[in-house]
C-alpha cells in the first residue's frame, strides 16, 4: 500500500466516523456523550488524509519520474478491516442473549431525584429498579409508572424487562433487569421492545448470575414500541 492508498483509506475511515457520529448509528457502539469525540476523530482522520495526499503530490513533482518509492508493508492493508466492518456490518444493540448471561449491574444510588411529571410516571429501567430495590418504593408514592425496555425470558419462562447500561461503549454494557408479574400478554417474544405500565410491588428476586437484586413490577398494561434510537439506558452513571 503506497502513501496515496493510505490517504484514501484514512479519508474513507474518517468519512464513515463522521457519518456514524452525525447519525444514530454511533449509539449502537458508544454513549451519546461520546459522539463529539467520534466526530472529532473523523475530522482529524480526514485532515490527515488530505495532508498526506497533498504532501505526496508535492514530493512527486519535486522528485521527478526517475525516483522510485519503496513499497509500504502489506500489513498496512489491515487498515481496511475496521472500515469494512463499519460499512458492511451494523450489528443490533445487545439484547436478551447477552442480558441473561450477565448479572444485573444495578447499584445503590446516593440519592433519588424528584419523580418526573406525568400519570403514569415515565421512568427508566435503572431508575425504577433502584427505587424499588433499594428505596423500597417509598419514593414512588404509590403512583403508576411507565417503563420501556426489551423483553428477556429465562429458561423457566420468567419475563424480564431489560435495558443495557454502559459506562463507555457497547463492549462494557451490562444489563439492569426488572422482573414482570401481573397482566402479561399471552405470547411473549424475546427482544421485543415494550412500553410497560404498572405499579410498584415489594416482591424481589435475585439474579441467578451474580445474586444481584431484581425488583418486580406489577404490570397493568403492555404496548409494543419500536426500537428507540438510543437503545442503551441514558441514566446510567449520571
Amino acid at each position: 500500500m503506497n502513501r496515496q492508498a493510505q490517504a484514501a483509506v484514512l479519508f474513507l475511515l474518517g468519512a464513515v466516523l463522521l457519518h456514524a457520529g452525525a447519525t444514530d448509528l454511533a449509539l449502537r457502539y458508544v454513549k451519546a456523550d461520546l459522539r463529539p469525540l467520534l466526530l472529532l476523530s473523523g475530522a482529524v482522520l480526514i485532515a490527515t488524509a488530505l495532508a498526506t495526499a497533498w504532501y505526496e503530490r508535492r514530493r512527486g513533482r519535486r522528485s521527478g519520474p526517475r525516483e522510485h518509492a519503496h513499497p509500504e508493508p502489506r500489513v498496512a492493508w489491515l487498515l481496511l478491516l475496521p472500515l469494512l466492518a463499519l460499512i458492511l456490518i451494523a450489528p443490533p444493540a445487545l439484547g436478551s442473549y447477552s442480558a441473561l448471561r450477565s448479572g444485573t449491574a444495578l447499584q445503590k444510588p446516593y440519592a433519588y431525584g424528584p419523580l418526573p411529571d406525568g400519570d403514569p410516571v415515565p421512568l427508566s429501567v435503572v431508575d425504577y429498579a433502584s427505587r424499588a430495590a433499594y428505596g423500597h418504593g417509598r419514593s414512588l408514592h404509590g403512583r403508576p409508572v411507565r417503563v420501556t425496555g426489551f423483553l428477556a425470558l429465562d429458561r423457566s419462562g420468567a419475563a424480564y424487562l431489560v435495558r443495557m447500561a454502559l459506562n463507555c461503549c457497547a463492549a462494557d454494557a451490562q444489563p439492569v433487569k426488572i422482573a414482570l408479574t401481573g397482566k402479561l400478554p399471552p405470547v411473549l417474544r424475546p427482544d421485543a421492545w415494550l412500553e410497560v405500565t404498572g405499579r410498584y410491588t415489594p416482591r424481589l428476586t435475585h439474579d441467578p448470575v451474580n445474586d444481584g437484586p431484581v425488583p418486580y413490577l406489577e404490570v397493568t398494561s403492555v404496548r409494543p414500541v419500536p426500537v428507540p434510537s438510543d437503545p442503551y439506558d441514558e441514566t446510567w452513571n449520571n
Side-chain angles (χ1 to χ4, degrees), residues 185-197:
V187 178
L188 298 174
R189 181 171 59 86
D191 294 310
W193 280 82
L194 304 174
E195 182 184 88
V196 176
T197 301

Side-chain angles (χ1 to χ4, degrees), residues 9-192:
V9 171
L10 285 177
F11 183 88
L12 290 174
L13 183 57
V16 171
L17 289 179
L18 285 180
H19 169 70
T23 64
D24 292 335
L25 178 61
L27 300 178
R28 298 187 182 184
Y29 302 98
V30 297
K31 292 183 68 172
D33 294 345
L34 297 180
R35 290 175 73 171
L37 294 178
L38 198 63
L39 292 169
L40 178 61
S41 300
V44 169
L45 287 175
I46 288 178
T48 303
L50 294 175
T52 301
W54 177 81
Y55 173 78
E56 285 299 306
R57 186 174 182 181
R58 285 194 60 187
R59 190 178 72 167
R61 288 178 178 177
R62 291 198 305 265
S63 61
R66 292 184 179 181
E67 184 172 327
H68 297 284
H70 295 286
E72 303 296 334
R74 293 183 178 180
V75 72
W77 287 104
L78 292 177
L79 287 171
L80 287 174
L81 294 180
L83 176 62
L84 293 175
L86 286 172
I87 294 175
L88 301 177
I89 304 173
L94 298 175
S96 60
Y97 180 87
S98 299
L100 293 176
R101 285 159 180 77
S102 302
T104 181
L106 186 64
Q107 300 173 4
K108 186 176 183 179
Y110 293 108
Y112 301 104
L115 288 177
D117 294 330
D119 188 20
V121 181
L123 292 177
S124 70
V125 170
V126 169
D127 200 2
Y128 173 81
S130 61
R131 291 173 186 269
Y134 295 111
H136 307 290
R138 289 188 294 267
S139 62
L140 297 175
H141 305 297
R143 294 173 62 184
V145 299
R146 183 176 67 246
V147 188
T148 300
F150 63 85
L151 186 67
L153 301 174
D154 66 14
R155 293 181 180 178
S156 68
Y160 299 90
L161 192 68
V162 185
R163 201 79 178 248
M164 302 297 287
L166 46 81
N167 293 310
C168 170
C169 57
D172 60 28
Q174 296 175 291
V176 175
K177 309 171 186 179
I178 298 173
L180 301 178
T181 185
K183 297 180 180 179
L184 297 176
V187 178
L188 298 174
R189 181 171 59 86
D191 294 310

